[in-house]
Amino acid sequence: MKKFTVVGAGLAGCESAWQIANAGYRVTLVEMKPVRFSPAHKNEGFAELVCSNSLKAARLESAAGLLKAEMELLGSLTVPVAKQVSVPAGGALAVDRELFSSAVTEKIKAHPNITVENRVYGKIEPEENEILIIATGPLTDGELSEEISRLCGGYLSFYDAAAPIVTAESIDRSKAFGASRYDRGGDKDYLNCPFSKAEYEAFISELVNAEGAVVHDFDVYEGCMPIEKLAKRGPDAPRFGPMKPVGLVDPSTGHRPWACVQLRRENSEGTMFNLVGFQTNLKFGEQKRVFSMIPGLENAEFVRYGVMHRNSFINSPQLLNADYSMRKKPNIFFAGQITGVEGYMESAGSGILAGINACRRAEGKMPLILPKETMLGALSGYISDESVSDFQPMGANFGILPPIEPKIRDKKERYAALANRAIEKLNSILE
């Protein structure tokens, strides 16, 4: 009989333990609170929401809504609880944070197959018959952090300094052109957004005056220069840094641009592009406003905004399979934000799949790998895609799903079609 251990009682860990217990197995859930608290956590309950009470959009035709619908189909613990303790928030699913944590904690502790141990987990030395799920969150530190780094061959990042990502189809190709510097190949991997002098000066003016996000003391990031901070050093600083135009010729003019933002292909399908060197601490609304001034990005669809904060995550594409197990140690799974999924529900969703696949591993069955047309499948595909360069966390968004063919121009109709396709795919698998 396999032994199951889940480390961490956040949303991911609770979902993993719930899946294992409901499959008929006994599972030990190890949680360090109240023995030790991270700088961000305040109460002793499980599934504590730290930064927001919002679990994002509820409607199916949104990426967040589709994600939650898929989770419910797979037997989620947290989504039904969230609905039970929801508070009015327009089209979003928002919760009373204390009631949410209390309700999840109560259900976990009441389950006859779940044993809770309140202790600090240290050495990662699973027994021969043990399946271990590590779901300790983005603020993992101390001995366990060192152990994870050792286990992962040093592939542990302590900060998330990510540039924004936009969908490929929303980029205006009449302005952005494909080219690598000095014609060194890779035209498909890079797009370039050229600035005239007037466009650049207007952009820099808005960039240096844009409003930054509030940074918590446990989130402070010191190791990378935000693009807005660089611009404040002097109006030409970005033009000699990440916006340098050297080695590029704008085919529409035949000359080198005054400045240029380079976009790098983010995934193997080429459906998303990253704004190279645009790590930022601007508020999300300000990023949308200012970065839409970049030629070619006037109507860009941002699938994630730039962030700069404390965040422990592993280099999952080099380490994990799509079922969240380690390639070299298949009895060890990871779940939650430490895998590079970003967001409360994304973390919980990864926990569901890790729990399901831990059981399938114990039973000698093939793993459950959801199709990339589903949001959960696309996220697990992203974190396990070895072609992803400069890996950074990713939340649910329609940009990571394969596009609908033929293309649907209307955004609402396109999102509805993507969501309906995902649910049909998932239902067909469950049936």
Side-chain angles (χ1 to χ4, degrees):
M1 185 70 174
K2 287 288 187 182
K3 174 182 178 181
F4 294 90
T5 303
V6 177
V7 183
L11 278 77
C14 287
E15 289 280 17
S16 291
W18 190 252
Q19 290 290 331
I20 295 167
N22 284 341
Y25 298 103
R26 294 197 61 80
V27 56
T28 299
L29 179 61
V30 181
E31 168 55 42
M32 72 176 185
K33 297 189 299 185
V35 179
R36 182 191 296 174
F37 286 82
S38 80
H41 295 93
K42 305 301 179 186
N43 68 52
E44 297 181 9
F46 303 159
E48 182 180 358
L49 304 181
V50 175
C51 298
S52 172
N53 71 335
S54 175
L55 302 178
K56 300 181 181 177
R59 67 189 186 282
L60 179 64
E61 297 79 12
S62 67
L66 172 59
L67 175 69
K68 289 188 279 288
E70 293 178 4
M71 290 169 61
E72 281 198 281
L73 288 174
L74 291 171
S76 170
L77 163 65
T78 59
V79 175
V81 168
K83 290 182 176 180
Q84 291 167 9
V85 299
S86 64
V87 296
L93 174 60
V95 299
D96 181 305
R97 287 194 279 187
E98 291 189 6
L99 288 179
F100 177 76
S101 176
S102 296
V104 172
T105 304
E106 183 179 335
K107 286 182 176 292
I108 289 289
K109 289 186 173 180
H111 201 297
N113 286 342
I114 300 176
T115 300
V116 176
E117 293 184 1
N118 296 107
R119 60 183 174 89
V120 177
Y121 195 91
K123 291 288 184 183
I124 301 176
E125 296 176 342
E127 299 172 14
E128 187 174 342
N129 71 328
E130 182 179 8
I131 293 180
L132 175 66
I133 299 178
I134 300 171
T136 51
L139 296 179
T140 302
D141 62 5
E143 182 183 6
L144 183 56
S145 174
E146 294 173 1
E147 279 289 290
I148 294 171
S149 186
R150 176 189 62 79
L151 179 69
C152 297
Y155 283 124
L156 184 65
S157 298
F158 291 98
Y159 293 95
D160 181 3
I165 296 173
V166 299
T167 62
E169 66 180 9
S170 68
I171 300 168
D172 185 348
R173 301 300 178 96
S174 70
K175 296 181 180 179
F177 61 93
S180 57
R181 297 189 195 281
Y182 303 107
D183 293 323
R184 290 173 178 164
D187 288 5
K188 293 182 180 179
D189 295 328
Y190 290 95
L191 292 175
N192 303 276
C193 300
F195 285 79
S196 67
K197 182 178 181 181
E199 288 170 335
Y200 176 79
E201 290 175 347
F203 173 75
I204 294 298
S205 175
E206 292 300 317
L207 181 62
V208 298
N209 290 300
E211 188 175 359
V214 175
V215 179
H216 299 282
D217 56 0
F218 56 82
D219 271 351
V220 175
Y221 184 87
E222 299 288 354
C224 188
M225 178 73 71
I227 185 66
E228 64 274 14
K229 186 174 180 180
L230 178 63
K232 290 177 181 177
R233 289 187 168 182
D236 280 329
R239 200 164 71 88
F240 287 92
M243 296 180 69
K244 62 180 179 290
V246 296
L248 296 170
V249 175
D250 183 351
S252 67
T253 64
H255 301 290
R256 188 174 79 178
W258 181 258
C260 193
V261 172
Q262 196 158 52
L263 311 178
R264 182 179 59 234
R265 189 164 70 164
E266 179 68 18
N267 59 348
S268 56
E269 292 84 3
T271 60
M272 299 181 291
F273 279 79
N274 180 298
L275 277 66
V276 178
F278 267 59
Q279 300 89 345
T280 178
N281 196 45
L282 295 181
K283 286 186 173 181
F284 290 175
E286 290 288 78
Q287 291 184 45
K288 170 69 173 174
R289 180 181 69 83
V290 177
F291 297 157
S292 293
M293 296 176 67
I294 297 171
L297 300 188
E298 291 88 351
N299 298 304
E301 182 178 357
F302 289 81
V303 298
R304 73 158 290 163
Y305 289 104
V307 290
M308 302 190 74
H309 55 68
R310 171 76 162 81
N311 188 6
S312 300
F313 61 97
I314 60 176
N315 190 357
S316 294
Q318 304 304 316
L319 297 165
L320 300 186
N321 297 306
D323 65 352
Y324 291 93
S325 68
M326 295 194 73
R327 293 194 178 114
K328 294 184 178 180
K329 295 181 181 291
N331 279 359
I332 298 179
F333 290 74
F334 281 86
Q337 289 195 71
I338 200 165
T339 68
V341 296
E342 185 170 69
Y344 286 130
M345 287 291 98
E346 290 87 343
S347 297
S350 71
I352 291 173
L353 291 178
I356 290 172
N357 283 306
C359 295
R360 295 181 71 86
R361 176 82 62 187
E363 295 163 359
K365 295 179 180 178
M366 293 294 290
L368 174 66
I369 308 297
L370 297 182
K372 290 185 178 180
E373 288 84 0
T374 65
M375 191 61 69
L376 285 168
L379 285 169
S380 64
Y382 175 78
I383 65 96
S384 59
D385 181 357
E386 294 181 79
S387 73
V388 172
S389 61
D390 189 26
F391 178 65
Q392 291 290 343
M394 178 70 70
N397 67 84
F398 283 121
I400 61 175
L401 302 184
I404 292 280
E405 297 294 345
K407 182 178 179 180
I408 301 173
R409 293 287 180 183
D410 183 82
K411 183 186 290 188
K412 289 184 178 180
E413 292 180 7
R414 183 168 72 249
Y415 287 176
L418 289 167
N420 290 330
R421 182 184 66 178
I423 295 300
E424 288 174 7
K425 287 274 187 180
L426 184 54
N427 276 325
S428 67
I429 290 174
L430 296 179
E431 289 168 3

